[in-house]
Amino acid sequence: SLFRLKDLEVPKLGDCDVHVKMLAAPINPADINMIQGTYPLLSPLPAVGGNEGVGEVLEVGRHVTALKPGDWVIPADAGLGTWRTRGVFPEKMLLKVPSDIPVLCAATLSVNPCTAFRLLADFEVLVPGDSVIQNAANSGVGQAVIQIARASGIKTINVVRDRPDLLKLMERLMALGADHVVTEEMLRKPEMKDIFKSIPRPRLALNCVGGKSTVEMLRHLQPKGTMVTYGGMAKQPVMVPVSAFIFRDMQLRGFWMTQWRKDHAQDQESVAAMMDTLCQLIRRGQLTAPACTKVPLQDYRAALEASMKPFVSSKQILLL
C-alpha cells in the first residue's frame, strides 16, 4: 500500500506561519489520482495526502494579521496535505471561513462547490428560467451545481448512470432541487422532447465523464451553446460530431479549479466574493454538504477503499 499512518513532529512556528488543528478532510477522486501519479500536480515525497478540509487555528506567528486562534481555515490552494491531525502552514496557504457553518460544509467547501460556482458563472450568462444539463449529477460537483442553480432560478437536467437504486438516487437529487433526472439511456429517447416543453434547451452543458455521454448531452444543447469539460471519469476522449460544430457552432471549453486559483491568486476580491456567496447559501440552507460517511483517521484504509468503489453516492470524510 502507498499509505501509512505516521507520527510526525509539529515544526516550529515561523513568523508568518499558522498552527492548525485539522477537524475534517474528505477523500476526493483528485486526491487518489494525485497519489497514483495520474494528476498534473505532484507532491515531493514523502507527502501528506488530501487537498481539502477544515481546521481550527491554534496559534499564529507574530507577523500573521488576518488570522487568530479559534478561526476556521481551509486550503487556499491544492496540495496542502489535509489528511493529518495538525500542521504548520504559511498564512498565505489558508483562507478564513466562518465558523458558524456546519463542519462538513466547511470541510467540503474549497473544491466541489467552488468548481460548481465557477462552472455556472464563467462560461455562459445564465438568467432565471435558463437551463443547464450535466452528467455525473450525483457527484460532489453535481450536487452543488443543482443547489446553486436552484438558488439562482436556473433549471437543471441531471444525467446519471443507470444503477440498482436509481429511484432512490433520483429522489435524493430532486430533494436537492433537481428539475429533471434522466439516465444516459434516456438521453437518446424521443421522450426527451417532453422535457423541453416546460423548460428551454440548455445553453450550458457540464461534462465530467467524456466518451459517449458527451455526444448525448451535446445533442440537447441550444445552437451556439457551450460544453465545459472538468473531468473525465470514463477515461475516454470527448467525441463531437462534425455537424455540432458546423451547423450549431458549439463551443467546447475546459475548466480546472486549481488553474482558476492560480490565475486569481492576486485577485482576492473574486475569491472572497465566491466564498461569501457560498457561505451565505450554506447559512440559508440552500447549499448542503454532499452525502457523507464520517470515518476516524485510523480507519483510513477502509475509507480509501470505499471511495474507489463504483456508484459511490457518499463522500468519505476523515475525522481528525
Side-chain angles (χ1 to χ4, degrees):
S1 160
L2 296 161
F3 288 96
R4 249 177 260 130
L5 202 51
K6 278 189 69 157
D7 285 321
L8 302 173
E9 288 283 305
V10 175
K12 209 164 105 17
L13 190 73
D15 288 347
C16 300
D17 289 342
V18 179
H19 183 183
V20 177
K21 172 183 186 281
M22 291 304 296
L23 302 172
I27 299 176
N28 291 319
D31 302 331
I32 307 276
N33 297 145
M34 257 176 97
I35 292 148
Q36 292 166 336
T38 58
Y39 201 68
L41 285 179
L42 292 173
S43 300
L45 296 171
V48 179
N51 289 296
E52 190 178 34
V54 63
E56 183 186 332
V57 175
L58 294 177
E59 202 187 345
V60 301
R62 53 198 187 119
H63 293 164
V64 173
T65 51
L67 296 169
K68 59 182 189 311
D71 284 348
W72 277 14
V73 288
I74 63 174
D77 214 337
L80 192 68
T82 52
W83 301 344
R84 61 172 108 207
T85 53
R86 293 187 173 205
V88 170
F89 308 108
E91 175 185 21
K92 66 174 192 302
M93 290 176 74
L94 303 168
L95 283 178
K96 182 177 164 177
V97 291
S99 54
D100 64 345
I101 61 174
V103 71
L104 293 183
C105 288
T108 53
L109 181 60
S110 65
V111 179
N112 294 332
C114 289
T115 301
F117 183 91
R118 302 264 54 108
L119 289 170
L120 289 168
D122 293 353
F123 297 92
E124 287 280 344
V125 179
L126 298 170
V127 298
D130 281 347
S131 78
V132 300
I133 187 168
Q134 63 165 347
N135 55 23
N138 58 314
S139 67
V141 173
Q143 294 176 56
V145 164
I146 290 170
Q147 296 174 84
I148 295 167
R150 181 60 177 264
S152 329
I154 294 157
K155 311 282 182 201
T156 56
I157 302 159
N158 300 281
V159 186
V160 295
R161 286 181 297 176
D162 201 1
R163 63 193 64 212
D165 59 347
L166 180 65
L167 282 172
K168 225 166 74 188
L169 174 62
M170 287 177 140
E171 278 166 15
R172 224 183 73 219
L173 296 182
M174 298 300 267
L176 287 181
D179 295 282
H180 298 276
V181 183
V182 296
T183 62
E184 301 268 354
E185 292 70 36
M186 284 153 80
L187 281 180
R188 254 164 267 160
K189 303 249 167 78
E191 293 88 276
M192 276 300 287
K193 288 200 182 70
D194 297 342
I195 287 183
F196 300 120
K197 286 177 183 158
S198 58
I199 64 173
R201 284 187 177 270
R203 286 227 303 279
L204 180 64
L206 306 175
N207 166 48
C208 75
V209 179
K212 262 219 301 271
S213 178
T214 318
V215 188
E216 300 302 341
M217 280 205 307
L218 270 178
R219 208 173 271 191
H220 300 293
L221 263 193
Q222 277 187 35
K224 295 197 189 313
T226 304
M227 185 173 77
V228 186
T229 294
Y230 69 95
M233 284 163 32
K235 297 188 165 56
Q236 288 160 351
V238 168
M239 311 289 272
V240 181
V242 169
S243 61
F245 279 132
I246 300 175
F247 303 120
R248 293 165 64 223
D249 191 15
M250 293 301 181
Q251 293 198 60
L252 264 63
R253 301 283 309 271
F255 181 77
W256 187 29
M257 192 65 218
T258 301
Q259 188 62 46
W260 187 92
R261 290 194 192 283
K262 277 200 186 72
D263 295 345
H264 293 79
Q266 303 312 312
D267 175 12
Q268 282 314 301
E269 275 172 42
S270 294
V271 179
M274 170 171 70
M275 296 320 257
D276 279 354
T277 305
L278 292 172
C279 289
Q280 280 182 31
L281 290 174
I282 290 168
R283 284 199 197 93
R284 286 190 212 125
Q286 292 177 303
L287 178 61
T288 55
C292 290
T293 306
K294 302 179 198 171
V295 184
L297 181 60
Q298 50 272 27
D299 299 342
Y300 71 93
R301 279 183 204 279
L304 283 166
E305 265 168 43
S307 69
M308 291 163 86
K309 288 201 178 89
F311 300 125
V312 188
S313 288
S314 185
K315 201 177 267 298
Q316 305 290 310
I317 305 255
L318 298 171
L319 294 185
L320 309 160

